[in-house]
Amino acid sequence: AKPQPKHALRDRTQLDEDLFDRALEKLWIHGGALIDSDDSVCRGINTWAPSYEAQVAHRLAQSEQMARFAQSHGCRMVHLIRHFGDEDDPGTLCGLCDACDSTGCVVQTYRTPTSTETVIIKATLESLAKQNDQSVGALHRNEGGAMARHDFEVIVSALLRNGMVSSRPDVFEKDGKAIPFHRLKLTQLGQKANAQTLAAIRVPTKVEAQRKAAGKRKTGSKRKAATQKKGRRSLTTATPSAKSQSVTRARKSMPPASPRTERIDAALRTWRKAEATKKSVPAFRIMSDKVLSGIAASRPENETALLAVHGVGPSLVTKQGAKILEIVRDA
């Protein structure tokens, strides 16, 4: 409940420095921790968790949307337009993306369907002719036979790419959570499908060679990973006091900073505290300890050198670059 130095709290948690800073920043944003311009930390409100969890859920939903875009079968441009809610767009295909023009693909290759796939393709089109606007899941259960869902999705992709069906997103709720899925409709081209058009369908090829190559790379690095894991296990299973002692020894073994580096470090901390006080934010919001130490150690003379410091981005250089370089130069 009483303010304590941030570095003391970090040492006690025994977390990685970057991980600790990110966790502390999340707590501060949601009110779970109070941090002053001196980077002294005390406990905040106990009701911080709901807003944090809501933000996590929002981020996960965004990730799922990006994954769905990557895994979608139809026109990429139409997918984006629907995502941003343009209701007036007629849904005209762009004709340029991998879904619209498979011949222009560099990574993905295509093949003719197998006899089993042809049977399932025909059954799927016939099912849609009897009852249009069905979900992909229902079609897989009824017409997919023993085919795995992923393999059926490949067939759906082929039908969409070849213009025989169209797709529209839909949502259903389960246990209070919205579950997205897609419905398929038969197009005029799909209604007129015959043996000749079915034989001309192009099905995405599974890139098995890439998977095998990746498997070989993993196998080749297993011994190295096992050795590293043994080393990590000794640290993971160590008692908290042993961990703390190892951290203390590591810090003691670090070479002392030069007087010039110490002067720059002190000057940067004084400026950072003044900026934090002026803006009523924690000092780490102006610049993290790690970035500050990196600047002090590298002593950049221009913006290019400042950008080369790990953790320094264009935004910091644009807003504070001139002042930081002035402090380094004067110190």
Side-chain angles (χ1 to χ4, degrees):
K2 295 181 179 180
Q4 57 184 293
K6 188 182 81 170
H7 64 82
L9 178 62
R10 182 179 62 219
D11 289 347
R12 198 160 63 253
T13 60
Q14 300 173 10
L15 290 172
D16 171 79
E17 186 174 342
D18 289 339
L19 179 60
F20 173 83
D21 285 342
R22 289 198 297 271
L24 186 60
E25 183 177 15
K26 298 294 183 188
L27 279 172
W28 174 74
I29 289 171
H30 296 279
L34 303 178
I35 312 171
D36 60 23
S37 58
D38 285 324
D39 267 1
S40 293
V41 187
C42 64
R43 190 184 308 126
I45 58 175
N46 293 328
T47 55
W48 61 271
S51 63
Y52 169 73
E53 289 168 353
Q55 188 183 58
V56 170
H58 177 66
R59 296 295 189 193
L60 287 172
Q62 288 181 318
S63 298
E64 289 171 1
Q65 287 176 334
M66 287 188 285
R68 285 199 297 274
F69 173 74
Q71 297 164 4
S72 63
H73 307 300
C75 175
R76 307 291 183 185
M77 184 59 70
V78 171
H79 187 103
L80 285 173
I81 290 170
R82 286 175 177 168
H83 169 75
F84 288 109
D86 188 347
E87 301 292 341
D88 297 327
D89 185 84
T92 305
L93 305 183
C94 71
L96 300 172
C97 69
D98 63 304
C100 293
D101 183 15
S102 60
T103 60
C105 291
V106 177
V107 175
Q108 179 68 66
T109 58
Y110 298 87
R111 57 175 174 79
T112 55
T114 64
S115 56
T116 301
E117 289 171 337
T118 302
V119 170
I120 294 177
I121 287 172
K122 188 176 180 181
T124 301
L125 293 175
E126 290 174 351
S127 178
L128 287 171
K130 295 176 183 176
Q131 181 184 344
N132 220 351
D133 198 30
Q134 294 188 54
S135 71
V136 175
L139 286 166
H140 172 246
R141 288 191 300 271
N142 297 330
E143 313 301 338
M147 180 176 282
R149 175 62 184 265
H150 177 268
D151 294 330
F152 185 76
E153 291 276 359
V154 172
I155 287 179
V156 171
S157 175
L159 289 171
L160 284 163
R161 289 172 185 269
N162 289 272
M164 294 189 174
V165 298
S166 62
S167 170
R168 71 175 181 88
D170 203 346
V171 178
F172 74 92
E173 285 195 9
K174 183 178 180 180
D175 299 330
K177 183 179 180 181
I179 309 296
F181 67 101
H182 279 81
R183 291 185 177 277
L184 299 182
K185 277 189 175 182
L186 202 61
T187 63
Q188 290 184 352
L189 190 61
Q191 292 171 355
K192 299 175 182 178
N194 53 40
Q196 185 177 358
T197 55
L198 292 180
I201 286 179
R202 307 294 291 167
V203 178
T205 305
K206 292 181 182 179
V207 191
E208 296 293 346
Q210 291 183 5
R211 292 182 182 178
K212 289 180 180 178
K216 288 181 181 179
R217 287 195 296 271
K218 288 180 181 178
T219 303
S221 61
K222 276 184 179 179
R223 293 177 182 172
K224 183 178 178 181
T227 303
Q228 292 174 341
K229 188 175 181 180
K230 285 181 180 178
R232 287 196 300 269
R233 189 180 297 142
S234 63
L235 176 61
T236 306
T237 55
T239 61
S241 58
K243 286 184 184 179
S244 180
Q245 290 171 6
S246 66
V247 171
T248 302
R249 284 196 300 271
R251 287 179 177 167
K252 286 181 179 179
S253 65
M254 292 176 64
S258 67
R260 182 163 52 167
T261 299
E262 290 179 347
R263 286 198 304 272
I264 297 172
D265 188 283
L268 286 172
R269 289 182 186 277
T270 300
W271 165 78
R272 184 179 68 167
K273 180 181 177 181
E275 285 291 304
T277 302
K278 183 168 63 177
K279 297 179 180 181
S280 300
V281 296
F284 70 83
R285 293 288 286 188
I286 304 299
M287 185 193 301
S288 71
D289 290 343
K290 196 170 185 178
V291 170
L292 189 149
S293 298
I295 294 172
S298 61
R299 301 191 284 275
E301 297 181 354
N302 51 51
E303 288 189 353
T304 302
L306 181 58
L307 272 171
V309 177
H310 182 70
V312 174
S315 178
L316 179 62
V317 173
T318 300
K319 294 176 182 178
Q320 309 286 5
K323 184 62 180 178
I324 292 172
L325 292 172
E326 179 187 340
I327 293 169
V328 173
R329 186 171 55 252
D330 291 348

